[in-house]
Amino acid sequence: PMAAALGLDFCTKTKRNYAPVRLGGTIGYTLPGFLFGALFARDLKNVFLIYAVLVALSCAATMLYPIKQEKQSPAVTADGKKVSMFSLIKDPLVIFLLMSNMVAFMGSSCYTYLPLYAQELGFDNALCGQLSAIAAVPEILLFLTIDRALKKIPPKTMIYIALGLQ
């Protein structure tokens, strides 16, 4: 969530699209499933070593983020009104999104068991990792097309369509 917030902040300040930044995160999620699958198939203990190395590299990389500590001003709407957390929680669309996200997350937790089922079908660990990576491919298609879609469909309508497709 912090990386997403930093990316969104960067894109807002530099007037860039957020979709390519988020696309990088999705590709960063899917590539290890393909690249490390064969390594994990040989010895599952490699998962822990590689994870530790990648987390250490990620921590080091965050130290390189070009962040200036600025005094935080209160969030404001386009017409200059202050926004508080309480006003967000009262917004019916925010409540709807939070509830929808909770329901969608419960449904998507089936991906946790996808590798176990694949293993039961006879897949090895390498293919199980690749199968999990393939599950994220629709995100890549979304981030490649979202800017064009948002020019034709209002964001609020897009949210409803996305929730309906889940």
Side-chain angles (χ1 to χ4, degrees), residues 54-72:
L54 291 176
V55 167
L57 289 173
S58 296
C59 288
T62 39
M63 298 301 183
L64 301 174
Y65 282 1
I67 301 171
K68 294 178 188 171
Q69 186 65 29
E70 300 171 4
K71 183 180 178 193
Q72 292 286 11

Side-chain angles (χ1 to χ4, degrees), residues 1-83:
M2 288 305 297
L6 288 170
L8 191 57
D9 186 53
F10 170 79
C11 290
T12 301
K13 287 179 180 174
T14 60
K15 298 184 182 350
R16 295 182 188 196
N17 286 332
Y18 178 65
V21 172
R22 184 61 186 83
L23 175 62
T26 299
I27 291 171
Y29 172 80
T30 57
L31 279 181
F34 291 111
L35 299 177
F36 298 127
L39 183 62
F40 296 158
R42 279 189 238 132
D43 186 1
L44 203 52
K45 292 176 189 170
N46 291 330
V47 172
F48 301 103
L49 176 63
I50 290 174
Y51 183 75
V53 169
L54 291 176
V55 167
L57 289 173
S58 296
C59 288
T62 39
M63 298 301 183
L64 301 174
Y65 282 1
I67 301 171
K68 294 178 188 171
Q69 186 65 29
E70 300 171 4
K71 183 180 178 193
Q72 292 286 11
S73 58
V76 292
T77 61
D79 59 357
K81 294 180 183 176
K82 287 185 181 179
V83 179

Side-chain angles (χ1 to χ4, degrees), residues 33-34 36-38 40-41 114-115 118-119 122-134:
F34 291 111
F36 298 127
F40 296 158
L114 184 62
Q119 199 171 37
F123 287 78
D124 66 2
N125 288 340
L127 289 175
C128 289
Q130 292 168 0
L131 192 59
S132 293
I134 290 169

Side-chain angles (χ1 to χ4, degrees), residues 91-150:
D91 186 326
L93 180 59
V94 172
I95 295 298
F96 177 72
L97 288 172
L98 289 172
M99 292 301 181
S100 300
N101 189 42
M102 183 179 76
V103 170
F105 180 74
M106 287 190 291
S108 69
S109 66
C110 69
Y111 291 118
T112 303
Y113 301 101
L114 184 62
L116 296 174
Y117 180 62
Q119 199 171 37
E120 188 177 298
L121 292 175
F123 287 78
D124 66 2
N125 288 340
L127 289 175
C128 289
Q130 292 168 0
L131 192 59
S132 293
I134 290 169
V137 169
E139 280 186 35
I140 294 171
L141 300 174
L142 170 77
F143 293 128
L144 290 174
T145 60
I146 193 72
D147 287 332
R148 280 180 271 153
L150 284 173

